[in-house]
Amino acid sequence: KRLAAGETADVAVSNLPAIERMISENILDVATRREFAHYGIGIAVKAGAAKPDISTVDAFKKTLLNARSVACTVEGASGIYFSELLARLGIADSVKRSPQPGGLCAEQLIDGRADIAIQQVPELLAAGKGIELAALLPAELQKMSVLSAGVFKSSTQTDAGKSFIAFLATADAERAFKAAGFDPI
């Protein structure tokens, strides 16, 4: 939305489809595109709460159906995917969701509005110390994403942008990515 409104920057860091779209729209320089990390969708609970069993598809469905409230987003990659997943599993009308447009849905765990939160792992962990990652979605239900970057063609700071992207591939950056819930490539 912001790009469509004419906003620009020096570097874009986003999921791979967004970076590829910006390249196809001639916004980013394809030669500067780089992938850094993978990340999946997980379930979080309030710190100290029992971690639900989501080791199988059936256990995952049971956990969702038995939850008093499931925090989730309705926009963004994980929110859209979760909504589609519930429909695919045939439980969309039965799961009690506490949806929000975007942001850190795991914050609902801290104030008690939800029992579990489902979102991409880095976003769950960003909600703070009051939550714990319980598990990743079962492998057959998982949707992995890729963190990527590229320099804007309109940038007046292309060398700085390229340097920033090079920094994102360093050992220090990889440690920071791991701590934030990403799996460095």
Side-chain angles (χ1 to χ4, degrees), residues 2-173:
R2 291 166 46 192
L3 289 174
E7 189 171 333
T8 188
D10 294 306
V11 176
V13 179
S14 190
N15 61 45
L16 184 56
I19 295 296
E20 288 179 340
R21 185 180 65 251
M22 287 185 270
I23 288 170
S24 73
E25 293 172 357
N26 209 28
I27 295 170
L28 297 180
D29 178 358
V30 67
T32 63
R33 178 183 162 273
R34 182 150 189 181
E35 298 173 8
F36 299 99
H38 297 107
Y39 52 104
I41 297 172
I43 259 187
V45 295
K46 186 173 184 173
K51 293 182 179 173
D53 176 14
I54 63 165
S55 59
T56 66
V57 173
D58 286 338
F60 176 70
K61 286 172 63 173
K62 184 178 177 181
T63 292
L64 294 177
L65 291 168
N66 290 334
R68 178 182 52 84
S69 181
V70 178
C72 60
T73 57
V74 293
E75 297 175 357
S78 62
I80 293 167
Y81 177 74
F82 183 56
S83 182
E84 293 169 352
L85 178 61
L86 292 177
R88 190 172 87 211
L89 294 173
I91 59 174
D93 294 333
S94 302
V95 173
K96 297 170 212 80
R97 288 180 262 181
S98 179
Q100 61 186 54
L104 306 176
C105 71
E107 291 173 341
Q108 294 185 40
L109 300 172
I110 298 167
D111 64 20
R113 287 180 285 155
D115 300 327
I116 59 176
I118 297 184
Q119 198 168 27
Q120 291 171 327
V121 172
E123 292 171 320
L124 291 172
L125 296 178
K129 295 183 181 188
I131 68 106
E132 291 178 11
L133 180 65
L136 293 175
L137 296 187
E140 56 270 39
L141 301 178
Q142 185 60 255
K143 179 178 171 94
M144 297 298 290
S145 296
V146 177
L147 182 66
S148 304
V151 175
F152 278 77
K153 285 188 169 186
S154 62
S155 173
T156 59
Q157 302 292 321
T158 56
D159 288 341
K162 289 176 184 176
S163 293
F164 176 70
I165 290 174
F167 169 75
L168 294 177
T170 66
D172 286 339

